[in-house]
Amino acid sequence: MQYFLLALLHIGLLLFCPPASSGELKQQAFHSQILNGEYRYLVYLPDEYGRLDRQFPVLYLLHGAGGDEHEWWMQGGVKDTIDGLVRRGEIQPMVVVMPGQPQAWWVDGASVKAESALIKELMPHAESNFRVQQKPAQRLIAGVSAGGYGALNLVLKHPQTFVAAALLSPAIYDPLPPEHSTAQTQPPFQTAGRFDPKRWGALHYTQFLDTYKQSAAIVPLYIEAGDHDNLGIALQSAILVEKLRLHQPNAIALKVNDGGHDWGFWRGSFPRALEFLNARLRPAQRTQSIRAMSYNIRCGSCENESDVNHWSRRKFLVADVIRRSRVDVVGLQEMELFQARSLAALLGDFDWVGVGRDDGAEKGEINAVFVRRSSFSISAYKTLWLSSTPEHPSVGWDAALNRTVTVANLKSRTTGQGLIFLNTHFDHIGARAREESAALISRVVAGLSGETPKILAGDLNDIPNFQGYESLTLQMRDAAAATRTPATGGDITFNGFGSDLKPGNKIDYLFVSPDQEVKSHHVITDLYDGLYPSDHFPVVMEVTLR
């Protein structure tokens, strides 16, 4: 009676729970096409979910025969166990998904296709609605009793889907379940209302072992059973270990401890299972929010010394724009060597790389990458020419001038994470050159390390409807379109020192690799007593590197 009242209270709280925040339990449901009915599950979000703007590993917890989505939560001590281990630094925070399928044993049985529904519907639904890393290397599964039976079958049949599994008192009876096992009465294994040994055998894990071994896949397994388990599961667990010992000698662990076949035993074994699973995950993902800028600062020798827009006056304004923007990395176009030196001196905390486009050294425009020294170190850099001979100073296609892209490899001083920052300036005359330049950069980006975040800054000398823009957005996202909050500052980046302000004339860009989250995007239009720091407005974004 007490448990019944607690369950009612718990369900009532779920019905009135607020939107997802830190440390919250969420009840979820969707219509399953495979089951032709409602599929319900619970999700536990760790305390860090609301505080850290990143994705988390995910653990799927399968209940036993006759249980439902509440069983792990109400009896398994999920919250207290995980919170305590995370607080002590013994595991990393993870999202926990607890599906409910009371009589399905997590297999495609005689009447219910529970395996298919879990793999094809539940997992995509959960992983699209919560911030979890949708990668096998960050996906775990565990189960008790019939849930352990189901978890074992799932990893043997889908070894590329999970990185590790834990089986607590798995009901993996071979050749048949004992008379007092609930498996004898469960729908997946029945024919005409009676237990069918052939159905049990066809769905048993031994049917999938050979295929699993032949695939050369290894999913680490943690198995724990009680020495007083009256279903003989300790022996069955040892048999499983022997069947897999030669295939994965260093990736299978069996513990037989004092206990029976009940939640008292499983609550005690759950922390040990979690520590095993956690050790198979990649280290906790560390994210960092940075500010990046693209800024064409206008060549320093393009105006006469008497001109109000001469570099000797503007350099202080440009430096102030960068300083006030609190940026960590800047792609500066149309920069000459003496400008780079004067800006570096004014800014103080910035290192920079880049070469002159005319000789690969000091002559001509430099597409410089300026990096805040306290934020990033520069590991390496390279300049490519936007032409059919990108390794050498050259003019490409119908361009009027040499054009380049600087590729800088950076390393965060905060997280140690890498960042590849590219900075470019397309030709102002050649339409074909702009298209080919975009295609070349797209190929360069495709060939870079897939895991490392990438940012492209540039003056593309064209608005977003040109063909080269489409080439670039095959590999990257325009930060102005991808920003989580509306882009601000208007749609003009070329201003001609105020003489050429045309609506829609946005030719300066920031692009990010697809898995980076853009928090904000802004075109800076500030003036200084009516003076323009450059004939372009800079664009700046805040982005979370993942």
Side-chain angles (χ1 to χ4, degrees), residues 40 63-69 71 99-106 146 186-188:
R40 294 177 299 177
H63 60 71
D68 62 17
E69 66 273 20
E71 189 172 55
Q101 287 290 297
Q103 295 183 309
W105 280 60
W106 313 103
Q186 296 292 292

Side-chain angles (χ1 to χ4, degrees), residues 370-391:
F370 267 57
V371 178
R372 187 179 294 278
R373 192 176 300 118
S374 56
S375 299
F376 288 94
S377 61
I378 302 172
S379 305
Y381 82 97
K382 184 174 185 177
T383 295
L384 298 173
W385 277 260
L386 303 180
S387 73
S388 57
T389 56
E391 299 290 337

Side-chain angles (χ1 to χ4, degrees), residues 405-416:
V405 58
T406 301
V407 184
N409 291 71
L410 313 179
K411 184 176 181 180
S412 168
R413 297 188 188 274
T414 301
T415 67

Side-chain angles (χ1 to χ4, degrees), residues 391-406:
E391 299 290 337
H392 309 287
S394 49
V395 178
W397 305 287
D398 58 349
L401 301 167
N402 289 353
R403 299 292 183 177
T404 65
V405 58
T406 301

Side-chain angles (χ1 to χ4, degrees), residues 93-225:
M94 58 185 69
V95 170
V96 182
V97 177
M98 295 162 277
Q101 287 290 297
Q103 295 183 309
W105 280 60
W106 313 103
V107 295
D108 285 350
S111 57
V112 175
K113 306 299 182 186
E115 175 192 327
S116 295
L118 187 145
I119 293 291
K120 297 179 181 179
E121 294 182 324
L122 167 73
M123 288 172 52
H125 191 272
E127 294 180 11
S128 63
N129 281 280
F130 297 93
R131 293 199 318 275
V132 301
Q133 298 188 46
Q134 299 178 32
K135 301 175 182 178
Q138 296 295 94
R139 189 184 293 124
L140 305 164
I141 190 167
V144 297
S145 191
Y149 167 99
L152 176 61
N153 276 353
L154 286 164
V155 298
L156 293 181
K157 295 180 72 174
H158 308 277
Q160 306 302 329
T161 302
F162 304 96
V163 70
L167 320 176
L168 304 183
S169 306
I172 51 175
Y173 318 111
D174 184 23
L176 294 174
E179 291 294 329
H180 59 294
S181 167
T182 56
Q184 293 274 352
T185 63
Q186 296 292 292
F189 315 116
Q190 292 190 330
T191 300
R194 297 175 62 86
F195 176 75
D196 185 343
K198 290 184 178 179
R199 284 194 180 276
W200 174 264
L203 295 169
H204 198 260
Y205 80 87
T206 53
Q207 300 299 307
F208 319 122
L209 269 178
D210 287 344
T211 303
Y212 169 73
K213 292 177 181 178
Q214 290 165 10
S215 73
I218 292 178
V219 180
L221 295 177
Y222 178 86
I223 309 160
E224 187 163 342

Side-chain angles (χ1 to χ4, degrees), residues 40-304:
R40 294 177 299 177
Y41 65 99
L42 298 184
V43 178
Y44 178 62
L45 307 176
D47 180 66
E48 290 76 9
Y49 190 91
R51 296 190 290 103
L52 302 178
D53 188 13
R54 65 173 175 84
Q55 295 174 309
F56 291 80
V58 59
L59 167 64
Y60 290 88
L61 285 181
L62 309 185
H63 60 71
D68 62 17
E69 66 273 20
H70 301 284
E71 189 172 55
W72 266 103
W73 181 256
M74 298 294 292
Q75 300 191 64
V78 168
K79 174 177 169 53
D80 290 343
T81 299
I82 292 181
D83 286 354
L85 291 171
V86 170
R87 187 168 53 249
R88 294 190 297 273
E90 295 173 18
I91 67 170
Q92 60 179 286
M94 58 185 69
V95 170
V96 182
V97 177
M98 295 162 277
Q101 287 290 297
Q103 295 183 309
W105 280 60
W106 313 103
V107 295
D108 285 350
S111 57
V112 175
K113 306 299 182 186
E115 175 192 327
S116 295
L118 187 145
I119 293 291
K120 297 179 181 179
E121 294 182 324
L122 167 73
M123 288 172 52
H125 191 272
E127 294 180 11
S128 63
N129 281 280
F130 297 93
R131 293 199 318 275
V132 301
Q133 298 188 46
Q134 299 178 32
K135 301 175 182 178
Q138 296 295 94
R139 189 184 293 124
L140 305 164
I141 190 167
V144 297
S145 191
Y149 167 99
L152 176 61
N153 276 353
L154 286 164
V155 298
L156 293 181
K157 295 180 72 174
H158 308 277
Q160 306 302 329
T161 302
F162 304 96
V163 70
L167 320 176
L168 304 183
S169 306
I172 51 175
Y173 318 111
D174 184 23
L176 294 174
E179 291 294 329
H180 59 294
S181 167
T182 56
Q184 293 274 352
T185 63
Q186 296 292 292
F189 315 116
Q190 292 190 330
T191 300
R194 297 175 62 86
F195 176 75
D196 185 343
K198 290 184 178 179
R199 284 194 180 276
W200 174 264
L203 295 169
H204 198 260
Y205 80 87
T206 53
Q207 300 299 307
F208 319 122
L209 269 178
D210 287 344
T211 303
Y212 169 73
K213 292 177 181 178
Q214 290 165 10
S215 73
I218 292 178
V219 180
L221 295 177
Y222 178 86
I223 309 160
E224 187 163 342
D227 58 359
H228 299 300
D229 192 313
N230 64 359
L231 291 162
I233 287 177
L235 174 60
Q236 295 290 342
S237 298
I239 292 171
L240 169 63
V241 171
E242 184 60 26
K243 290 179 184 293
L244 286 170
R245 180 176 57 82
L246 295 179
H247 177 70
Q248 51 189 78
N250 300 314
I252 190 164
L254 171 62
K255 303 288 183 184
V256 178
N257 287 308
D258 184 42
H261 196 85
D262 52 53
W263 277 107
F265 175 74
W266 298 327
R267 281 195 300 272
S269 56
F270 187 41
R272 293 185 288 271
L274 283 170
E275 290 176 14
F276 178 93
L277 295 173
N278 180 76
R280 274 70 194 171
L281 292 172
R282 291 188 310 187
Q285 182 190 33
R286 299 183 68 186
T287 60
Q288 178 183 11
S289 289
I290 69 162
R291 294 175 64 82
M293 174 185 282
S294 180
Y295 196 4
N296 183 321
I297 62 168
R298 175 68 171 174
C299 51
S301 57
C302 290
E303 277 76 40
N304 295 324

